[in-house]
């Protein structure tokens, strides 16, 4: 585990972030260039080494419902990657060069098939070309599918 000082040095290497002290000797790091209301990239970096990076709903991370991932046990490279991903996420959508399409198939016991896809903003559940439902998070979409008796195909 990286120490507080090591994490702080890594975070400080990102010139686009601004350090803001908060209570209990913790630090937040703001990204003034954010194109969204959300400006904090690193939250509550604590002298014990704990802290969070905002990654929104990026698929590469298991974030909490606020879009935060805990960095307590991150390596230097994991921390750098998370911060870079966060800054990219908070930058204008037009700046994103690569778009990834995610589609997964779900079936129920009757053999009916639904497709879960991500369009860059929403998780959509479709039957053929017909949109059934649209959700803000993958978790909500998967809960809906499970409640309707659908399981992910392998």
């Amino acid at each position: 585990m990286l120490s507080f000082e090591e994490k702080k040095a890594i975070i400080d290497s990102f010139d686009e972030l601004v350090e803001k002290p908060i209570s209990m000797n913790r630090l937040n790091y703001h990204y003034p260039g954010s194109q969204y209301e959300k400006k904090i990239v690193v939250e509550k970096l604590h002298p014990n080494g704990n802290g969070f990076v905002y990654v929104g709903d990026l698929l590469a991370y298991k974030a909490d419902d606020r879009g935060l991932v805990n960095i307590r046990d991150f390596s230097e490279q994991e921390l750098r990657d998370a911060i870079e991903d966060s800054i990219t996420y908070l930058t204008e959508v037009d700046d994103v060069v690569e778009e990834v399409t995610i589609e997964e198939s779900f079936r129920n016991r009757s053999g009916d098939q639904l497709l879960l896809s991500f369009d860059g903003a929403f998780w959509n559940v479709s039957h053929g070309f017909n949109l059934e439902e649209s959700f803000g998070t993958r978790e909500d979409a998967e809960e809906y599918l499970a409640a309707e008796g659908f399981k992910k195909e392998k």
Side-chain angles (χ1 to χ4, degrees), residues 84-119:
E84 287 172 5
D85 290 344
S86 179
I87 291 169
T88 300
Y89 186 82
L90 293 172
T91 304
E92 282 189 271
V93 177
D94 294 340
D95 291 347
V96 177
V97 175
E98 183 179 332
E99 186 175 310
V100 177
T101 302
I102 297 167
E103 293 184 348
E104 295 175 343
S105 180
F106 287 75
R107 284 200 188 273
N108 65 9
R109 290 181 186 216
S110 303
D112 299 320
Q113 181 182 27
L114 292 179
L115 183 67
L116 175 63
S117 61
F118 183 68
D119 68 7

Side-chain angles (χ1 to χ4, degrees), residues 119-134:
D119 68 7
F122 296 100
W123 290 92
N124 300 312
V125 176
S126 305
H127 180 262
F129 292 109
N130 299 319
L131 178 64
E132 294 286 325
E133 292 285 339
S134 207

Side-chain angles (χ1 to χ4, degrees), residues 6 35 46 50 53 66 74 93 99 103 109 111 118 122 142 144 147:
E6 291 169 322
Q35 299 300 308
H46 193 279
N50 202 18
V53 171
R66 297 176 299 147
F74 272 24
V93 177
E99 186 175 310
E103 293 184 348
R109 290 181 186 216
F118 183 68
F122 296 100
E142 288 179 345
Y144 168 80

